[in-house]
Amino acid sequence: MSGGGGGHQSNRTLWIALAANMGIAVSKFGAAAFTGSSAMLTEGVHSVVDSSNQLLLLWGRKAARRPADQFHPFGYGRELYFWSFVVAVLVFALGAGVSVYEGIIHILEPEEAVSPYVAYAVLGIAFLLEGGSTLEAFKEFRTSKGKLSWVQAIRRSKDPPTFIVLLENGAAMAGILVAAVGLALSQVTDNPFFDGAASVVIGGILGFTAFVLAYESKALLIGEAADPDIIAGLRTLVGGKSGVTAVGEVLTVHSSPDQITAMISVDFDDEQSARDVERLVWTIEREAAERFPLVRRLFIRPRGSPPGLEVEPNGSVAEPN
């Protein structure tokens, strides 16, 4: 990630999270039906949403690897970013929305929970399963983030599933704790209000998580630049070549986590022949491919200007005053 995103990531974490969430969902719905707990029901919905999200992310990764064709010359990499954004919408609409709705319904029309100890057992099992899945996601993300802080790594990540699973699992574990506290307070005070209130709090947690996921996925979907180290490296590589007098703009965009398109504005020595410039461009492209394997396409634009015209720092040509 510190190197600009990394290549194809393993789907191991997604499959582990999917298996854990499916098992947890079944147990939560069973406990909700047996105990009548609102928080347990919303936790079950949360696990179903998480399971659907993992399936969408798995599909997104598969679809993103399709080769480029005449209709999509830059490939299908952004499909992963699209499905990541859909996941964020689902977390908000189904996860947060249903949780808040169920909580309000049970606050307005309280129902006393039956056999809450069954719910405690299910929550304990769910917490352990979610913890194992979260630990796997934590290890993967920690490895990919390098020396960046956790917040910086999420902001600069180009592979949404790596942080989506981590944030979703973190929200799930927080939701389990809230559900347990709400159930306990309802049992101690003999007031089912706290069970409904716990559902509303869980909805708030999911809503915040969905906002973070949507914000980061949107940035990638509309086009995000490569890691600053890669941009600086490209500038240094080109600027250090004999025959290059200046380097203007270095524009980059991620088409997928492991595919960058770069466009560089270069001022070549006017004494060189066209053949020399062609040979130099070929050398730059070859060396860039070796040093920065994520840069799949590199376009170099000569920015030299005719006599009497001035070249702006960004590579554009301006009329003299």
Side-chain angles (χ1 to χ4, degrees), residues 43-310:
E43 275 296 300
V45 172
H46 180 192
S47 295
V48 170
V49 172
D50 282 351
S51 299
S52 302
N53 291 344
Q54 268 95 57
L55 288 173
L56 289 176
L57 292 174
L58 285 166
W59 169 252
R61 273 187 169 168
K62 180 180 179 180
R65 293 173 183 175
R66 286 182 293 172
D69 54 37
Q70 60 176 329
F71 300 107
H72 297 86
F74 290 97
Y76 292 82
R78 291 195 184 182
E79 277 223 39
L80 176 59
Y81 302 152
F82 168 76
W83 290 113
S84 298
F85 188 80
V86 170
V87 164
V89 174
L90 288 178
V91 171
F92 182 80
L94 297 182
V98 172
S99 296
V100 172
Y101 173 78
E102 281 292 327
I104 293 175
I105 291 297
H106 280 74
I107 289 174
L108 297 177
E109 300 177 6
E111 294 181 11
E112 186 175 351
V114 180
S115 301
Y117 294 107
V118 174
Y120 290 136
V122 172
L123 287 174
I125 294 172
F127 191 82
L128 291 176
L129 291 175
E130 286 284 7
S133 176
T134 302
L135 181 61
E136 189 69 26
F138 175 83
K139 289 179 180 178
E140 180 180 352
F141 194 75
R142 183 179 61 184
T143 300
S144 64
K145 80 180 187 68
K147 297 181 180 180
L148 299 175
S149 70
W150 290 92
V151 174
Q152 286 178 324
I154 291 175
R155 294 296 306 274
R156 291 169 64 172
S157 173
K158 304 301 186 284
D159 190 25
T162 58
F163 63 81
I164 286 179
V165 174
L166 183 62
L167 292 179
E168 272 191 345
N169 285 359
M173 294 184 72
I176 291 172
L177 293 176
V178 171
V181 171
L183 193 60
L185 289 175
S186 295
Q187 186 180 10
V188 170
T189 63
D190 198 27
N191 185 353
F193 164 83
F194 294 102
D195 186 46
S199 293
V200 175
V201 174
I202 292 171
I205 294 173
L206 294 178
F208 176 76
T209 304
F211 173 79
V212 175
L213 298 182
Y215 182 83
E216 294 301 325
S217 298
K218 182 210 69 171
L220 292 166
L221 187 60
I222 63 178
E224 198 167 86
D227 187 279
D229 292 339
I230 291 182
I231 296 175
L234 288 171
R235 181 180 293 277
T236 301
L237 170 65
V238 177
K241 292 298 179 185
S242 175
V244 173
T245 59
V247 179
E249 288 184 305
V250 179
L251 304 178
T252 61
V253 64
H254 266 271
S255 299
S256 71
D258 62 349
Q259 180 174 310
I260 297 172
T261 298
M263 293 150 281
I264 306 177
S265 178
V266 181
D267 189 4
F268 294 98
D269 187 343
D270 294 337
E271 300 300 320
Q272 295 185 103
S273 67
R275 183 175 296 276
D276 290 336
V277 172
E278 290 174 355
R279 186 179 297 110
L280 179 55
V281 169
W282 181 86
T283 301
I284 292 173
E285 290 176 344
R286 179 174 55 82
E287 292 187 15
E290 293 175 354
R291 290 180 54 182
F292 309 103
L294 296 185
V295 180
R296 301 295 182 85
R297 291 179 174 84
L298 174 60
F299 300 96
I300 296 178
R301 171 180 175 266
R303 72 167 195 170
S305 60
L309 297 180
E310 298 179 357

